[in-house]
């Protein structure tokens, strides 16, 4: 199987389609700090046993914050550029639910090229729970979907997921370092075949495979 | 195909296994309000263009909130009981990432029995974004995983997902009402086969099928 890496010139620039593209270095460090703090808040709220008066006061504070922070809002689909090893380029929405740098709930931050594929580590807190103490099966699928999709974009073609299949081999624990890896396994016309897995302490907890289909970027 | 509904007595009560079980009416209304407010905050932060001073002040406020709310934390795996139509019973962690009543990021709140299966509506805000303006493929999978799993628990057997397959038929938009439905399609020894779909404006955007395998509840 041969995978043709796409030349940079072949990658559509979202700015040409009317999307806002923001360089990572333009994002204030204070924003990235706030994103991390809100991730911790989500977990705290999901598990809090604070008394009603404390909860009501917190709601008021959060409403005020939302109003202030929401007063200036990025346009829908604002993207940032990711430069990968080997001159590859990729774009992702800043708010991407799984790897967006400004999304407080996105748990994937350190995706990188390794061994001809992509690799990332993450640790999911209690906000990602499904069964007691375990990562939700939907989040297992979401981690795989994002990494498989980015692998397709970086090594094959930008595309949307057409099919995602996940085999759950053993429970994936919360609050424990996880590794996600993926690689291209085939290319056929507009389809890119990608597979990957999640590992915990060296053991595979879930395997995923996806068919990504190259699509035109929609006009805004 | 015949599906045997499990009698209530057949359903293990998590309290018998050492898990904390909290009745929904014991949850303070102020907590549920705070959960909704934090969901809005996540979206606001993911898209804010506030200036650094405002962001830094917000981080301090959020840190204080997290510290206060986190001072009293529920035990891992705290669950709540769900009474379904027809005398069926189900348990879910309060913090469940997709349908937990205390999880600010969980977008499914109104699952119910309908037409021999389960049905829910939801609208996903900008914090669930994948491609510009569209629901992340991982969240499409997560919605299906949760509803398929609960369908198995309510109509078949409580279990964990062994396999999840999602076919993405068309883009699923953000900020637009979505319907998720699912039903059991077969039972074979410890396996329950379930399928379902997500609809938007009457059209199927994604179809999912899962194999759920009945498992013993782990001891705490």
């Amino acid at each position: 199987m041969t995978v043709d890496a796409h030349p940079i010139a072949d990658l559509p620039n979202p700015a040409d389609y009317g999307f806002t593209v923001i360089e990572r270095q333009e994002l204030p460090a204070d924003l990235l700090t706030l994103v991390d703090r809100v991730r911790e808040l989500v977990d705290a709220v999901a598990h809090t046993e604070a008394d009603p008066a404390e909860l009501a006061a917190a709601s008021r504070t959060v409403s005020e914050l939302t109003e202030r922070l929401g007063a200036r809002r990025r346009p829908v689909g604002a993207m940032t550029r990711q430069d990968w090893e080997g001159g590859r380029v990729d774009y992702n929405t800043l708010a991407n639910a799984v790897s967006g740098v400004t999304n407080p709930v996105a748990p994937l931050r350190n995706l990188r090229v390794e061994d001809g594929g992509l690799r990332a580590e993450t640790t999911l807190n209690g906000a990602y729970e499904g069964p007691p103490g375990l990562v939700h099966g939907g989040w297992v699928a979401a981690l795989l979907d994002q990494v498989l999709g980015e692998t397709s974009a970086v090594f094959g073609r930008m595309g949307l997921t057409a099919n995602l299949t996940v085999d759950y081999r053993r429970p994936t624990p919360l609050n424990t370092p996880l590794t996600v890896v993926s690689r291209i396994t085939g290319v056929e016309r507009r389809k890119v075949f990608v597979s990957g897995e999640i590992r915990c302490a060296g053991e595979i907890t879930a395997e995923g495979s996806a068919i990504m289909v190259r699509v035109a970027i929609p006009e805004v």
Side-chain angles (χ1 to χ4, degrees), chain A residues 47 123-136 172-177:
Chain A
H47 296 88
T123 298
L124 302 187
N125 69 23
Y128 301 85
E129 189 173 59
L134 303 179
V135 175
H136 195 289
T172 302
L174 294 173
N175 302 314
T176 309

Side-chain angles (χ1 to χ4, degrees), chain A residues 44-60:
Chain A
V45 169
H47 296 88
T48 188
E49 289 186 319
D51 61 39
E54 183 104 67
L55 296 165
S59 284
R60 287 190 294 274

Side-chain angles (χ1 to χ4, degrees), chain A residues 54-55 57 72 87 96 123 146 180:
Chain A
E54 183 104 67
L55 296 165
R72 279 165 45 205
N96 183 294
T123 298
Q146 180 65 30
V180 193

Side-chain angles (χ1 to χ4, degrees), chain A residues 132-153:
Chain A
L134 303 179
V135 175
H136 195 289
W139 267 104
V140 167
L143 292 177
L144 287 166
D145 180 63
Q146 180 65 30
V147 177
L148 295 172
E150 292 215 39
T151 301
S152 170

